Structure formats: C-alpha cells, structure tokens
C-alpha cells in the first residue's frame, strides 16, 4: 500500500455521494488509505444530501431508506445506529383539480374520473391486452401495452414529460421496465377494492411492486445524516475528504499508478497519487478528463442528463397537508412534485407553526427555469401552490432555492450503446479505474443500488480483479421496494456462490429501530407517534 497522506493513497475517490462515501467507509475499515474529492464546499451526499437553511432541512428529491439487500441494510444500521425513525408513507396524485390516493382506491378513482372516463380506461386497457404492440421501442409503447392509451395519457404522459423534458415516444423503454416493471393494473384494481372496503389487513396486500410500501425508515434529520456520519468515520480514522475540490484530470504513469488532479475553491490545484481510482463523476465528464483522451470520449459526449431544482417554501401552517409528497399530473403548472418535509420527519422543521414544502422543477442546465433568479423562482412556486389550492400566497413567509445539476441520467434511444462503448474501452484499458453510482454508470439507480455498486467495487479492489460485475446491480429491471427489508441474503451481482459467501454479512440486522438515550429520544418519539 502507498504511504498514507491526502496526496498519496491506495484509492482516490471522485465524488462524496452515496457510492463514493460507501466505498471510502468500507476501504477505511479494511485499512486502506483513501482520499475523496467533492466539489461541494459544504455538503456531502450528492443528490442524497440534506440542505439546511435557517434551521429548516430539506432533501433533494426525498429519499426513503428501504432495501431488499441485507448487506445494505446492515451498513445503514452500522453507520447510523440510533437515528432512524419509522414514518408512515402517504402520497397522492393531483390531476385536473382532484387528488387520487396512491396506491389507488378503486371507488375514489371511479368517482374522480367519472363513469364515462373510467369505462374508457377499461376499454383502452382491454384493447392493449388483446392487441399489444409487438415492436416496443419507447416508454410510450411499453406503458400503453401495460395500461392502455387512456391511462397512459392520464397518469403517465404529463408527469413523465415534465421529469424528462422530452416526448414519451423518444424515451427508451428501458426506463419504464426498470421503474414500473410488475405494476399490474389488475392487481392495482384488486388492491384498490380491498382498500375501499377496508379488507386490506396487511400493508399493500396483493401489491408486490414498486413504491407501495406503507411505512419507511428515515434518518430523523434527513438522509444527509447518513453521509455526514460516513464522512466523519472516514476522517476520524485517518483518511481524507477534500471539500470544494473539482475533478480536473486523470492520468496514468508508466507504472500504472494514477495521478488525479483537482482544483480547489481558491484556485489551487491538488494532485493525488493512487493505485486505484473510483469515479462517481458523470461518465461524460470522466471520459473528457482522462489523459490521453480515450476513443469513447465522442460517444460519451452524447450522454444526456436532466437537471433539477427545489424551491423550498416556509408557510404559516401547523398542518398543511399530510402527504410525504404529491405528484402533479397537471399541465397548468410547471412543478412536478411537492414534498412536505414535516411528514418526512417532524425534526426537519424547527417551528411547529411553520410548514416547509419543496416544489420540484425538472429542467436542463441553463434553460429558462434553471437560469431564473431565486426570487423569481420563489414567486413562481408561491403562485403555483395557490393554483393547486395547497396554500395561499400570502401565507408564505420564506423561501430558498437549491439547484442540482445532472440529477437524472437520460434514457434516450442511444444511451445504452454509448454507455457500453465507454464501459468496454475503459475496463479494458484501465483495470484499476472503477465507475460506480448513478452518474458514474449512467443508470437510474436508487441509493441502495448505488451503494451496492461501491460495496462490490471494494471487494474487487481487495481481490485484485473484477470478480464481481457491478453492472449486474439493478440489471434485473426490478424496483426493489417490495417484500421485506433486508430479505435478500445473497448479492444479486455474484459471479459464483463462493464469491457471494465472501460478502455474506456477519452483522446482525436490528429487528426494530434502535432507540437513543432517554435524554435525546423525545424527537424520535414524536416521529414514531405521527
């Protein structure tokens, strides 16, 4: 191993998000010297960070803590043993001035849509099942096949096009298959009928899919708590997290060692020597900064990203609405989703008489929304909350704006081929360069999937070869939010049972959320009682 120090380490890591910090945490445990560079000057966690403004805390998107992977659950419990709370899940869809429970309640949906439109939905669904499109290419093709054209136009088209900024028929079917595979209309109707009649005795009985968990775990001060704790562990054990350092260039010397250069916020350049580099930087950015420039840099430049901004509003109200979030399927407003941070955790909001909500706008960097001033965005958010009937504009007492570039890797027609070209070339040329995480692999991974790619990468570094194919994580196109937390004992990306055994966790998963001491547990009790 290289002598320990911030500029000469075993492993250099680009990005202090869930993937980067998971790798840093585990490598630190195993005795490796590590330096992480992070361009943000204040926050770690990437898109999973928690931003604080005047004591109000809000997420960049909202992040539930659920995973079927026992290894991931174990690690969450290890990093943050005493600060999880259990929260009720409630979300609704807003469409044409009405709210629809999600998961759906059959009679509510029937009443809201009306008998004529409900009948049209069923006829459209039957038509799609009897005469499906056999040449499925786009998100639109896939979704119409699954639900019919009428339901697609009501519950998928407007919201999806807000999120991605492109027509549904130009989006790859891969995204639909990954995010909503297994969501059956028949099962949804059956589940909705059970709910309507009060026959549902178990959470989401009959629904084995997607986002239908009725409770979830959540750090009491937001997901940033997890990544602050991971960073603190790394630093406390002698390794380094360099904040305000932007990735500039990556080059290999004649001995195969890496030189990673980064520009600090004061303009000074830092150079880190390392045996291995783990990159969670966007693939497009990585390819452009490797020296000499790889052949894949041209197709990598065609990879696209959707950017994202949150307008947080502080509103005079002790109980604005009960939802964790509301999906806005309405073309009259630009907002795509509204988060209610008190419903995520009461401790996110310091004043019980003030609600804090986050209006989420999906955009492209430097377009009209992105380039708008904070003041204009706050005024837009206030007016749209009033249009939706969620609050009065005069009740808003404060606001803040957070911009998140490259929040979502875009799944267009060409993305898979471009990713494969880059992956093939870089893995062939550079066995000690590892791409992990959402943007590092240009894959719409959840937080737990991003962590798993880092966990397997650490095992590959320890083994000295790529014994695990991290590209198999989340490759089964299943959104892992069904079943019991931590129920998946073996890692899905295993190459063999023997290799899987090497990763079998020996840590015991707590059967319930750990409690803190008597003196500091009051806030957690509030969260559990809500």
């Amino acid at each position: 191993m290289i002598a320990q120090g911030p500029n000469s380490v075993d492993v250099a890591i680009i990005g202090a998000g869930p993937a980067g910090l998971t790798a840093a945490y585990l490598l630190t445990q195993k005795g490796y010297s590590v330096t992480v560079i992070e361009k943000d000057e204040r926050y770690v966690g990437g898109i999973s960070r928690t931003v604080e403004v005047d004591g109000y805390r809000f997420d960049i998107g909202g992040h539930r803590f659920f995973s079927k992977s026992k290894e991931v659950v174990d690690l969450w419990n290890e990093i943050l043993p005493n600060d999880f709370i259990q929260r009720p899940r409630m979300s609704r869809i807003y469409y044409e001035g009405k709210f629809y429970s999600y998961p759906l309640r059959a009679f509510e949906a029937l009443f809201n849509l009306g008998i004529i439109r409900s009948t049209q939905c069923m006829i459209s669904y039957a038509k799609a099942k009897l005469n499906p499109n056999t040449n499925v290419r786009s998100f639109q093709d896939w979704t119409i096949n699954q639900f019919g054209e009428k339901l697609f136009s009501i519950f998928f088209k407007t919201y999806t096009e807000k999120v991605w900024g492109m027509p549904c028929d130009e989006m790859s079917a891969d995204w639909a298959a990954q995010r909503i595979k297994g969501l059956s209309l028949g099962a949804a109707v059956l589940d909705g009928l059970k709910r309507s009649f009060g026959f549902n005795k178990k959470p989401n009985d009959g629904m084995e899919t997607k986002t239908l968990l009725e409770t979830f775990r959540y750090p009491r001060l937001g997901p940033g708590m997890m990544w602050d704790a991971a960073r603190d562990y790394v630093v406390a054990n002698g390794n380094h997290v360099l904040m305000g350092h932007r990735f500039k260039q990556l080059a290999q010397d004649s001995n195969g060692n890496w030189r990673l250069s980064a520009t600090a916020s004061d303009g000074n350049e830092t150079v880190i020597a390392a045996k291995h580099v783990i990159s969670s930087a966007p693939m497009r950015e990585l390819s452009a900064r490797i020296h000499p420039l790889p052949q894949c840099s041209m197709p990598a430049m065609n990879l696209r990203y959707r950017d994202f901004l949150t307008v947080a509003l502080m509103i005079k109200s002790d109980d604005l609405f009960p939802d964790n979030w509301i999906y806005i399927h309405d073309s009259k407003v630009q907002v795509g989703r509204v988060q209610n941070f008190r419903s995520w955790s009461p401790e996110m909001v310091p004043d019980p008489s003030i609600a804090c909500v986050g209006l989420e706008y999906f955009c492209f960097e430097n377009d009209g929304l992105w380039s708008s001033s904070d003041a204009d965005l706050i005024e837009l958010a206030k007016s749209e909350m009033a249009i939706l009937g969620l609050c009065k504009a005069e009740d808003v007492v404060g606001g803040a704006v957070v911009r998140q570039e490259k929040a979502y890797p875009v799944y267009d027609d060409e993305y898979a081929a471009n990713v494969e070209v880059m992956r093939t070339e870089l893995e062939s040329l550079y066995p000690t360069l590892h791409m992990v995480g959402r943007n590092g692999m240009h894959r719409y991974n959840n937080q737990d999937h991003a962590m798993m790619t880092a966990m397997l990468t650490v095992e590959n570094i320890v083994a000295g070869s790529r014994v695990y194919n991290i590209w198999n994580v989340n490759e089964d196109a299943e959104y892992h939010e069904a079943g019991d937390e931590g129920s998946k004992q073996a890692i899905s990306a295993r190459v063999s049972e023997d290799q899987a055994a090497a990763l079998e966790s020996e840590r015991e998963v707590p059967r319930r959320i750990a409690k803190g001491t008597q003196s500091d547990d009051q806030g957690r009790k509030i969260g559990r009682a809500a």
Side-chain angles (χ1 to χ4, degrees), residues 66-78:
F66 175 85
S67 179
K68 290 179 72 176
S69 165
K70 181 177 184 294
E71 290 80 6
V72 170
V73 174
D74 284 354
L75 192 55
W76 280 336
N77 291 329
E78 179 180 302

Side-chain angles (χ1 to χ4, degrees), residues 404-457:
Q404 175 62 50
E405 63 183 25
K406 296 180 177 63
Y408 304 109
V410 171
Y411 279 32
D412 55 24
D413 280 343
E414 305 299 325
Y415 93 96
N418 293 330
V419 168
E420 185 59 28
V421 167
M422 182 171 171
R423 172 196 168 188
T424 300
E425 180 181 0
L426 295 189
E427 287 189 350
S428 173
L429 290 176
Y430 305 119
T432 56
L433 174 61
H434 312 271
M435 294 172 283
V436 297
R438 177 182 282 201
N439 279 340
M441 301 170 69
H442 202 85
R443 179 170 290 176
Y444 199 102
N445 283 331
N446 296 325
Q447 181 175 222
D448 61 325
H449 297 135
M451 292 175 66
M452 183 60 74
T453 64
M455 294 165 78
L456 293 173
T457 293

Side-chain angles (χ1 to χ4, degrees), residues 474-486:
N474 203 19
E475 181 65 19
D476 58 359
E478 179 183 353
Y479 192 94
H480 289 155
E481 292 206 16
D484 296 328
E485 183 180 55

